Amino acid sequence: MKIAFVGKGGSGKTTLSSLFIRHLAASGAPVVAVDADINQHLGAALGLDEAEAAALPAMGDRLPLIKDHLRGSNPRITSAETMIKTTPPGEGSRLLRVCEDNPVYEACARPVELDGGTVRLMVTGPFTDADLGVACYHSKTGAVELCLNHLVDGRGEYIVVDMTAGSDSFASGMFTRFDMTFLVAEPTRRGVSVYRQYKEYARDYGVVLKVVGNKVQGQDDLDFLRAEVGDDLLMTVGHSDWVRAMEKGRPPRFELLEDANRRALRALQVAADATYELRDWERYTRQMVHFHLKNAATWGDARTGADLAAQVDPGFVLGEGVVASA
């Protein structure tokens, strides 16, 4: 299952995504965790110290390797240089699985030991001084989008992405790459404004969106969220002594997380798992192609000097059944 955590800056989406990743790992599920936020905090939330988090390999710095691996022997993609963030797979492309070893994971992923299991962690990399004034952060998240475009995941397998804050998630088609999007919202006007934006932008793309209320302190907060987001409100989270200890760098054993918050994490997993039966690989592939053609016409053809529309394989549909032949 492909799962995104979104929300405004400071809403707690990184904390909640890290808790969900810990929950999945404790259940024994295979997990690939991705920090796609401009502020790289997921590693620390998963227990890495400052030096370990800083040493994580940046996907954006390894984009040529990622492109060269994914294009495989696809005759429609003549070189890695002609691939852009939206390039879709086709016959001959190499596809990624959650449970495998491949050059992309070898270069970009690092194992993180958590209570009860190990997850693979990948990061886009921070926005550096060299990027100032000359680069867009979404050029870095393009590596994540390419990997999602070529990822075939099955039941009980999870890739969890901590997305960039606010409506910046809509600067590419990556917002359509997920089975479930959890929007973390505080019970404030600003907290729900990102929800309204996300709901509006995503309405024509079949995005499954559920709201997780965070920092909810009482019935008034709960009533406010219910009035603002309606049936999209899945559950709420309040104060957590376990989280406070984690933020100080001294997390207790995960099994000591408060019962109410453990139940909330189970509710997130149940909601995400339910979307597996709703998967439509044809729509997924069609949306991938839609954004690729849009990007090709807007800037891709001019930047690469190639006809990027020709990269689309009209007979190819991504799905679990194509892995063996790819």
Side-chain angles (χ1 to χ4, degrees), residues 2 148-155 177 179 276 278-288 316-323:
K2 304 179 186 74
L148 291 174
N149 282 356
H150 290 75
L151 178 71
V152 180
D153 54 313
R155 185 190 296 274
R177 303 295 85 201
D179 298 290
Y276 183 84
L278 304 175
R279 278 190 164 184
D280 185 343
W281 285 106
E282 290 189 0
R283 183 182 70 184
Y284 189 87
T285 305
R286 186 168 61 249
Q287 289 178 343
M288 195 188 311
F316 183 86
V317 176
L318 187 67
E320 294 176 69
V322 302
V323 174

Side-chain angles (χ1 to χ4, degrees), residues 199-230:
K199 186 79 170 178
E200 175 66 21
Y201 293 158
R203 64 176 181 174
D204 296 328
Y205 295 96
V207 173
V208 182
L209 179 68
K210 289 295 180 183
V211 174
V212 180
N214 193 26
K215 306 176 186 177
V216 174
Q217 297 182 7
Q219 188 63 43
D220 185 64
D221 286 347
L222 180 59
D223 291 342
F224 175 81
L225 285 173
R226 283 175 173 164
E228 295 294 329
V229 309

Side-chain angles (χ1 to χ4, degrees), residues 5-6 11-13 16 182-188 191-192 195 210-218 221-226 229-230 232-239 260-261 264 268:
F5 280 80
V6 301
S11 64
K13 66 180 180 61
L16 282 170
F182 292 124
L183 190 145
V184 182
E186 299 169 85
T188 64
V192 299
Y195 160 77
K210 289 295 180 183
V211 174
V212 180
N214 193 26
K215 306 176 186 177
V216 174
Q217 297 182 7
D221 286 347
L222 180 59
D223 291 342
F224 175 81
L225 285 173
R226 283 175 173 164
V229 309
D232 285 337
L233 181 64
L234 177 64
M235 40 80 71
T236 62
V237 178
H239 173 78
N261 290 327
L268 294 183

Side-chain angles (χ1 to χ4, degrees), residues 1 15 22 57-58 121 124 185 218 254-255 272 291 306:
M1 310 303 296
T15 297
R22 289 176 183 270
L121 173 62
T124 57
F254 187 64
E255 63 189 19
F291 283 105

Side-chain angles (χ1 to χ4, degrees), residues 80-93:
E81 289 73 25
T82 60
M83 290 183 77
I84 61 174
K85 62 183 181 179
T86 53
T87 296
E91 188 67 31
S93 295

Side-chain angles (χ1 to χ4, degrees), residues 72 97 235 273 285 290:
R97 292 300 302 250
M235 40 80 71
D273 287 348
T285 305
H290 165 78

Side-chain angles (χ1 to χ4, degrees), residues 96-153:
L96 303 176
R97 292 300 302 250
V98 172
C99 298
E100 69 172 7
D101 294 320
N102 59 55
V104 174
Y105 290 157
E106 182 179 347
C108 302
R110 293 295 179 266
V112 177
E113 300 286 341
L114 300 172
D115 294 351
T118 301
V119 303
R120 280 172 165 150
L121 173 62
M122 300 198 296
V123 301
T124 57
F127 206 64
T128 66
D129 290 343
D131 298 319
L132 294 176
V134 296
C136 168
Y137 184 69
H138 301 285
S139 64
K140 294 180 178 291
T141 60
V144 181
E145 187 168 356
L146 264 178
C147 287
L148 291 174
N149 282 356
H150 290 75
L151 178 71
V152 180
D153 54 313

